Amino acid sequence: MTGQNRLLAILLGVLAVAVLVVGGLSAGLLLTGEDSDSGSSGSPTGITTDSGNGGSGNGDSSSATGRLRLGGADPVTLDPHLATDASSAEYIVEIYSGLVTISPDLEIQLDLAESVDISEDGSVYTFRLRDDILFHTGRRVTAEDVVYSIKRAASRELQSTVALAYLGDILGAREYFFGIADDIEGLELVDDRTIRFTLDAPKPFFLAKLTYPTAFVVDQQQIESNPRNWTRNPNGTGPYELQEWRLGERIVLQANSRYHLGEPPLKEILYTLSGGSALTRFENDELDIAFISVNDIDRARDPGSDLNPLYTVWPQFTISYFAFNTEIAPFDDVNVRRALGLSIDRTKISEVTFSNMLAPATGILAPGLPGYTEGDKTFPFDPDAAREALAASKYTVEEGRLVDPDGNPVTIVITEVGGGAEARIDTQAFLEQWRTELGINVEIRQTDFATFLAEQDAKQLQMFNAGWIMDYPDPEDILDLKFHSASELNDMGYENAEVDQLLEDARVELDPDARLALYAQAEELIIQDAAWLPLYFSQSHVVVNEAVQGWFEPPMVIPRLRFITVDR
């Protein structure tokens, strides 16, 4: 069996087919009732070579037509090597590209590469580039551009918070990141069109990780000529170019007529970054897509409503959760964490507060993901057990606050994204339940998204309300990245030697059933340790203008605009 076919068998067996983001791309505004991106379900398969529309653009003329009007938000960054949020990724996956990509059917497909050869032991990947790939400016992309981009993403100077999570399997990447080595041992420039990666061990999910923005190709010449402001007009290789970006007003993407997988049929995408209610703008024919909030869900579900024929629901591989910093009091005590989990009724809040628009999480892995197991593995709503857990901790409750064994009061503060006068509606309900069932007053701190991400990455938050969008449908993308004690994305200080060993064994296990069984064991241990309190699995509720053809909401952030048309 050839190296490539052998890898395909592994990929088909473990369903390690990536979809980008935001895994690293965390979701910060999942439950506010505001607009947010989401996804559809799909059936992952192996890598394929046909990911285009047929033919490639030549730059001489444009056959793209139509304008799609979307709501949006300013990205935190348009640097693919630094992005960690879904809002930024939505633009990044259209402007840039990498060696491989993800199809609407959630298949790994070749993108800038025309072929990949994998060694028999699964540890060496050799990519051959297409001969028709160009930057938006028209400059030809070479293997040197790919090598530069990988080294930049993993560089000590850039200090990307996600680089090692997605590129750390390359031999020598960690040493390079920490300044111990001057080069990445496992990254080889073979010739003008060939790049070779040698991994530190066989990793069946490596191709999946290459679909994440840290592996996207950037223009060295542009970055070095304008290091501070190059992202205001990035020179990528993706199907769309950034034509305009007015902060707080609008972003305009334009079809790349020279795109190597075929010129996109949609000429222009206008993202309006302000303007009030998206649904109102949709009904005023100002937007083509609008997300339905809890305030409008009954109308959308009503068969007699004018919205109902335009309304669809798409499940997401996204989880919302409370996270505890296990290195900071009082969450250094597992019984305190368990007590908080046992004293909240997530099911009631999902049904009443969110009108069943969200599904109560039954674990960390969402339905449809490889490794998902039936049954609710999370803490049930059990106030008596919650009080017993708190009594078993080293803390006591006095006048609404926890007190440590030395008599020092400990205040619990939850940090969440927001700028209103009050906490999120579900958070308010949880605060009341903790006050009623445990006698604990919990404080709320709100901050902007960029600050939240920075403090989360720096492990400065005591307790926080956040979300995780899978980057590719494989348990490794959440269990290993978020809960292994040595992971750069473990922002809770969580450490369990048994969990670490299970995750390490799963990384190199090539038997699909055995591998998923290891993750199932790790998930159960993590939930019992209560480093996270899983809250909800997300769904995307949208209305779509009848003129828009082919719209879909993927379960993760993937390139999609080149598959959309507008009939007007």
Side-chain angles (χ1 to χ4, degrees), residues 4 23 30 40 100 117 172 212 265 319 367 375 504 506 509 522 528 567:
Q4 183 167 343
L30 297 178
S40 70
V100 287
D117 180 74
Y212 193 80
I319 183 172
E504 290 165 13
E509 176 59 64
Q528 288 304 308
D567 185 17

Side-chain angles (χ1 to χ4, degrees), residues 2 73 284 470 531:
T2 67
N284 290 338
M470 296 293 291

Side-chain angles (χ1 to χ4, degrees), residues 466-537:
W468 182 262
I469 302 175
M470 296 293 291
D471 303 322
Y472 42 94
D474 188 284
E476 183 270 346
D477 182 54
I478 187 168
L479 299 180
D480 202 332
L481 293 189
K482 295 302 292 184
F483 298 100
H484 191 284
S485 63
S487 172
E488 290 75 16
L489 297 182
N490 180 342
D491 43 34
M492 307 149 291
Y494 172 71
E495 184 172 357
N496 181 319
E498 186 177 358
V499 170
D500 281 353
Q501 189 60 58
L502 288 167
L503 296 175
E504 290 165 13
D505 291 344
R507 289 175 188 171
V508 296
E509 176 59 64
L510 299 184
D511 178 82
D513 292 336
R515 183 168 179 264
L516 294 181
L518 292 169
Y519 284 124
Q521 294 177 58
E523 182 185 25
E524 289 189 10
L525 289 174
I526 292 166
I527 290 173
Q528 288 304 308
D529 282 344
W532 275 13
L533 295 184
L535 297 177
Y536 321 103
F537 295 132

Side-chain angles (χ1 to χ4, degrees), residues 406-440:
D406 296 325
N408 301 310
V410 179
T411 301
I412 298 178
V413 179
I414 296 177
T415 300
E416 66 180 22
V417 176
E422 297 181 332
R424 279 182 359 191
I425 188 169
D426 61 323
T427 304
Q428 293 180 49
F430 294 141
L431 295 180
E432 183 58 32
Q433 289 183 317
W434 288 324
R435 184 181 300 111
T436 301
E437 307 299 347
L438 300 177
I440 298 175

Side-chain angles (χ1 to χ4, degrees), residues 178-370:
F178 290 110
I180 300 173
D182 295 329
D183 209 345
I184 300 177
E185 182 180 350
L187 178 62
E188 181 184 355
L189 177 65
V190 179
D191 59 40
D192 190 51
R193 290 178 56 193
T194 309
I195 313 99
R196 181 172 294 128
F197 296 88
T198 301
L199 309 186
D200 56 13
K203 301 289 176 68
F205 42 80
F206 179 65
L207 278 184
K209 287 189 171 185
L210 290 184
T211 66
Y212 193 80
T214 45
F216 285 4
V217 174
V218 295
D219 181 1
Q220 178 179 4
Q221 295 177 11
Q222 181 188 38
I223 293 173
E224 292 181 349
S225 65
N226 189 10
R228 293 179 61 86
N229 297 309
W230 67 273
T231 55
R232 298 293 297 172
N233 186 29
N235 186 29
T237 57
Y240 284 90
E241 306 175 34
L242 179 63
Q243 183 183 50
E244 182 181 11
W245 178 8
R246 294 184 182 179
L247 283 170
E249 295 183 21
R250 67 183 197 171
I251 287 176
V252 180
L253 301 184
Q254 178 177 289
N256 174 14
S257 62
R258 293 182 286 203
Y259 183 54
H260 53 278
L261 298 180
E263 181 182 6
L266 192 61
K267 181 177 183 179
E268 184 179 274
I269 299 92
L270 168 64
Y271 291 90
T272 303
L273 311 183
S274 61
S277 166
L279 184 57
T280 298
R281 288 183 285 159
F282 176 86
E283 294 186 284
N284 290 338
D285 197 28
E286 298 170 9
L287 295 180
D288 292 312
I289 314 292
F291 291 87
I292 299 296
S293 74
V294 69
N295 298 324
D296 301 296
I297 190 61
D298 289 341
R299 181 179 161 208
R301 288 170 174 163
D302 181 359
S305 166
D306 56 345
L307 292 180
N308 186 260
L310 309 175
Y311 168 64
T312 56
V313 182
W314 305 77
Q316 291 184 279
F317 293 158
T318 302
I319 183 172
S320 177
Y321 60 89
F322 281 126
F324 303 108
N325 190 327
T326 62
E327 298 176 335
I328 298 177
F331 302 125
D332 55 343
D333 191 322
V334 66
N335 288 301
V336 175
R337 306 195 299 266
R338 289 173 178 166
L340 266 62
L342 288 161
S343 56
I344 58 174
D345 192 344
R346 297 169 297 111
T347 300
K348 182 177 181 180
I349 290 173
S350 176
E351 293 175 351
V352 177
T353 305
F354 293 113
S355 299
N356 288 314
M357 293 181 70
L358 301 170
T362 57
I364 297 172
L365 301 178
L369 280 170

